[in-house]
Amino acid sequence: MTRHGRTLVRLGAATATALLAAGAPAAYSLFDDPAPGPVVRGAPYIESRLFFGTARPDGGPAVTDRQFMAFVDKEVTPDFPDGLTVQNGRGQWRDAHGMIERERSYELILLYPVAQARTGDQKIEEIRTAYQKAFAQEAVARVDEPTRVDF
């Protein structure tokens, strides 16, 4: 190959390299962009769900709808006046004597801001204790989960 031919090859290689180098950042930037994520809405809240059984371990009559709603009005609404949800259910659990108890139940759902977690926790524990005393219950189950809420 002549000197002129080698110069043309080098010039061609340099031009190709320059073009590839210029285009590479743009091409690779497609891979660097994060995939669009889910839209996050609402403020951080705690969702607390309480499960209230209605059968009485002492054999007394089951808690009625009227009694339960009166309990909610007296013990829950004053501490959580912004809103709550009550759902009817059927549940089962193993009692302190090892027996499987099947009963009608209620699920109470409470939402409160994370900033109020400490006071919310205390109020919920008072509600659980009050129900246990009022209706001779062994327990009221509780589930807490962080969530986001938008009204």
Side-chain angles (χ1 to χ4, degrees), residues 55-151:
R56 297 183 196 225
D58 62 5
V63 178
T64 66
D65 286 339
R66 175 175 269 162
Q67 289 172 314
F68 184 76
M69 291 314 297
F71 175 83
V72 169
D73 290 345
K74 180 182 177 197
E75 301 291 339
V76 182
T77 300
D79 288 333
F80 295 93
D82 293 337
L84 56 89
T85 299
V86 174
Q87 297 183 46
N88 290 312
R90 302 263 335 142
Q92 73 178 41
W93 79 302
R94 186 180 308 273
D95 69 14
H97 304 291
M99 299 295 296
I100 299 292
E101 299 289 337
R102 292 179 177 90
E103 60 188 323
R104 191 172 51 81
S105 60
Y106 298 98
E107 178 183 13
L108 174 66
I109 303 169
L110 301 167
L111 299 169
Y112 47 96
V114 168
Q116 297 173 10
R118 186 174 305 246
T119 57
D121 174 71
Q122 180 181 353
K123 291 173 183 179
I124 289 170
E125 288 306 301
E126 290 169 2
I127 291 166
R128 292 173 74 198
T129 299
Y131 190 81
Q132 288 171 291
K133 287 180 182 176
F135 300 108
Q137 298 291 300
E138 285 184 32
V140 172
R142 176 179 178 173
V143 176
D144 295 309
E145 295 185 67
T147 191
R148 298 192 73 82
V149 176
D150 183 25
F151 294 102

Side-chain angles (χ1 to χ4, degrees), residues 7-80:
T7 303
L8 285 176
V9 170
R10 286 184 186 151
L11 181 61
T15 302
T17 301
L19 288 172
L20 287 172
Y28 283 110
S29 72
L30 294 175
F31 298 112
D32 293 338
D33 289 342
V39 175
V40 177
R41 294 196 193 285
Y45 268 62
I46 304 286
E47 176 183 357
S48 292
R49 293 182 291 147
L50 303 178
F51 298 88
F52 300 88
T54 58
R56 297 183 196 225
D58 62 5
V63 178
T64 66
D65 286 339
R66 175 175 269 162
Q67 289 172 314
F68 184 76
M69 291 314 297
F71 175 83
V72 169
D73 290 345
K74 180 182 177 197
E75 301 291 339
V76 182
T77 300
D79 288 333
F80 295 93

